Amino acid sequence: MSNARFSIIPGWVVADSRLKGRDLQVLCVLGQHTNRKHGWCRRSQVKMAAEMGCARSTVQASLDRLVKIGAVERREVVSDSGRDSAHWYRVIYDRVTPEEAFREWDRDDELADEDFAVEDDADTPADQSAPPAGISAPPAGPESAPPAGPGSAPINDSCLTPPAERTERGRGRDDGEWDDPSKFVRRVKALELGTASNPWPGAIGSSTTWAVTQFEKLTAEERRLAEERRDAYLAECKAQKVKPVALGIYLKDRKFLHVSPVAAKSQAASAKIPVAPFGPVWAGMRALALLDGPEPVEVPLDVRDRIKQMFETLRRTSEVRALAYLHGKGIELAGDGRLLFPHDFDRAEQRRRVSESGYPRANDLNKQAKERERGVAEARFEALADLCEPVPVGSDLFERWRTHHEAAGWPFVPDPGQMPVVYFPKGGPEGLQQFDIAARAALRQERSNDDAA
């Protein structure tokens, strides 16, 4: 039993709308029992259920959900007899664990069982698989736990990834939507087709369904790496004059982890990164597009006549629709049938047209977010992610951003729906000038690095 008085879990998952029932409690139990040496824990579902006072099936359902959400990575363990054993679990902090690490831990586990906090049930029920042969657990004593000492409480070190090492998907986890299982088929199709007219060799003759199954078995971080390193893997195969494996095998055997750093770097200049709507890279690109200023937009000289014509056309079919059309433009209908335009109509119409069509790049990003579609961008734009921060929807800062957009005549972000946060440049509207300077400098540096590579 772990004696840790704290449980470390990722903050982004707390507000995730997909959590149900005991999910958060199960996550906290895993965090409490996480081994401080390597960030993993091995604990049976029976013991977790006993701790929580619930059924084993409840724990299992929560674990399955947490794995799908991307909050937990699960390493299944099968005993020599072929029966399931207590599995390895890790609370996700954006780090892919090499295959070799598990083999090393298993060797250490045989030598120093207690150091790894491996717990097996001595009285395994019929519905729970037996632990692997050769691994024993110390019997639980009847005595109570010793009182807490005067020193600091032990804290589980969950191998947190430094912020500088996080990538787009890691930073964008706050949105809770972009590793949605309902999008897995589309993402595998994208792996098959590629983004630069380079379809996966032999994909037309391979099973997409089987590839999707292998994609589902990966962790959220592994799925991101599989997408990110796709082109680098194919380029390295071409350079070594070897035939790439089928896409499903690439995913099943995690070939993306075998791509050499040199090959990955050589692809950096032409590589594309996914851009999650409402995420940090999306926010940085959008802010720069707005700061670049609007493109010329002309208001037709006969705009008032056009409005009158549209009003009459709508009026012939629906008086209500015609009046709503006028109301939307701040125009009133006089008793004699004349249209009363507000005194600032021309200026307001100019601002409206600029907001709708004067910022095409920003509006394209807004459309992408509205439709919940991921875009792609040059890899150098990844540098913008560190310059943006998550802003809770509906917070004072979020409303300050809305007010600033209205004052500047900028199109605001689309309705985020159930998204808990939307990314904006760090420092609020007051920090836009500093963001502009830092962002353009970072993009110039990335361009230089790519040229040097």
Side-chain angles (χ1 to χ4, degrees):
M1 175 69 71
S2 169
N3 65 344
R5 300 208 303 266
F6 296 97
S7 176
I8 301 176
I9 64 172
W12 61 263
V13 78
V14 175
D16 196 300
S17 60
R18 292 171 294 176
L19 292 178
K20 297 179 181 179
R22 300 258 192 167
D23 293 0
L24 196 58
Q25 189 176 359
V26 169
L27 189 62
C28 288
V29 170
L30 292 179
Q32 182 184 13
H33 291 281
T34 293
N35 187 282
R36 63 187 304 174
K37 180 177 179 180
H38 49 64
W40 289 75
C41 76
R42 189 179 183 190
R43 190 154 184 82
S44 75
Q45 295 174 10
V46 171
K47 284 208 167 186
M48 285 191 276
E51 276 187 86
M52 297 165 50
C54 64
R56 174 180 174 270
S57 59
T58 300
V59 174
Q60 185 174 15
S62 290
L63 287 170
D64 290 343
R65 209 157 27 242
L66 290 168
V67 170
K68 285 187 177 181
I69 289 173
V72 169
E73 180 177 354
R74 175 169 53 200
R75 168 82 174 187
E76 296 184 359
V77 179
V78 179
S79 67
D80 293 339
S81 63
R83 301 176 63 189
D84 285 343
S85 180
H87 301 324
W88 287 100
Y89 299 97
R90 179 172 75 95
V91 179
I92 291 292
Y93 285 106
D94 301 333
R95 176 175 295 174
V96 176
T97 303
E99 184 76 17
E100 293 75 11
F102 287 102
R103 289 196 288 267
E104 180 182 347
W105 298 346
D106 285 336
R107 288 195 299 269
D108 290 346
D109 187 42
E110 295 175 359
L111 298 174
D113 198 38
E114 293 184 0
D115 289 344
F116 279 72
V118 177
E119 299 183 356
D120 295 300
D121 295 306
D123 51 348
T124 304
D127 65 340
Q128 174 67 17
S129 302
I135 299 181
S136 59
E143 67 277 2
S144 58
S152 302
I155 298 178
N156 290 333
D157 180 2
S158 298
C159 300
L160 305 182
T161 305
E165 295 181 13
R166 296 177 187 167
T167 53
E168 166 65 6
R169 179 159 297 276
R171 296 188 192 92
R173 285 180 188 270
D174 301 275
D175 56 46
E177 292 186 12
W178 308 117
D179 199 50
D180 186 348
S182 67
K183 294 183 172 64
F184 285 178
V185 173
R186 183 186 305 174
R187 290 169 66 181
V188 170
K189 284 288 188 183
L191 286 171
E192 289 181 337
L193 298 176
T195 58
S197 300
N198 59 336
W200 194 279
I204 193 172
S206 301
S207 170
T208 300
T209 302
W210 192 76
V212 171
T213 300
Q214 306 313 310
F215 193 74
E216 290 174 344
K217 292 179 180 179
L218 302 177
T219 66
E221 175 69 3
E222 287 174 335
R223 283 189 284 271
R224 183 195 66 77
L225 285 175
E227 293 169 319
E228 182 181 274
R229 299 183 180 181
R230 172 197 187 274
D231 292 346
Y233 169 76
L234 293 178
E236 189 164 357
C237 287
K238 184 177 181 180
Q240 296 183 17
K241 298 182 179 180
V242 297
K243 182 179 179 181
V245 299
L247 177 58
I249 299 297
Y250 167 81
L251 299 170
K252 180 179 182 295
D253 292 349
R254 293 167 172 78
K255 291 293 186 180
F256 47 85
L257 298 180
H258 303 162
V259 177
S260 72
V262 174
K265 185 176 181 180
S266 68
Q267 287 288 313
S270 59
K272 301 292 184 180
I273 60 169
V275 179
F278 302 108
V281 173
W282 177 89
M285 294 174 63
R286 181 179 172 280
L288 285 178
L290 295 173
L291 290 168
D292 282 340
E295 295 183 0
V297 175
E298 294 184 0
V299 178
L301 296 177
D302 61 344
V303 63
R304 298 192 182 210
D305 291 335
R306 294 187 182 187
I307 290 175
K308 292 177 183 178
Q309 293 174 7
M310 178 59 72
F311 171 69
E312 294 298 336
T313 300
L314 293 173
R315 198 175 193 183
R316 284 194 290 269
T317 58
S318 172
E319 182 79 12
V320 175
R321 288 183 61 196
L323 292 175
Y325 171 71
L326 293 182
H327 179 73
K329 294 182 174 296
I331 302 171
E332 296 181 3
L333 180 64
D336 57 3
R338 291 181 299 110
L339 300 187
L340 303 179
F341 290 83
H343 69 280
D344 63 343
F345 170 78
D346 293 328
R347 180 172 177 271
E349 183 67 9
Q350 174 74 24
R351 287 174 61 86
R352 183 187 68 80
R353 288 175 178 262
V354 169
S355 177
E356 289 182 355
S357 57
Y359 299 93
R361 286 186 296 157
N363 281 324
D364 285 346
L365 289 166
N366 277 355
K367 181 181 178 182
Q368 169 197 330
K370 182 178 180 180
E371 296 176 355
R372 301 299 195 267
E373 294 289 342
R374 290 196 307 166
V376 294
E378 297 176 26
R380 64 193 182 97
F381 284 100
E382 178 73 20
L384 299 179
D386 288 330
L387 303 177
C388 297
E389 63 183 353
V391 176
V393 175
S395 65
D396 290 342
L397 182 55
F398 186 86
E399 295 305 320
R400 280 170 49 207
W401 275 113
R402 187 196 303 274
T403 301
H404 184 83
H405 279 66
E406 292 175 355
W410 293 347
F412 193 52
V413 299
D415 182 5
Q418 298 298 316
M419 303 282 288
V421 299
V422 172
Y423 277 76
F424 289 93
K426 289 180 178 178
E430 300 80 10
L432 273 175
Q433 184 176 4
Q434 290 182 333
F435 164 82
D436 192 19
I437 296 172
R440 298 185 194 281
L443 291 180
R444 284 195 298 271
Q445 181 62 44
E446 288 297 321
R447 174 77 76 178
S448 299
N449 290 344
D450 290 345
D451 292 341

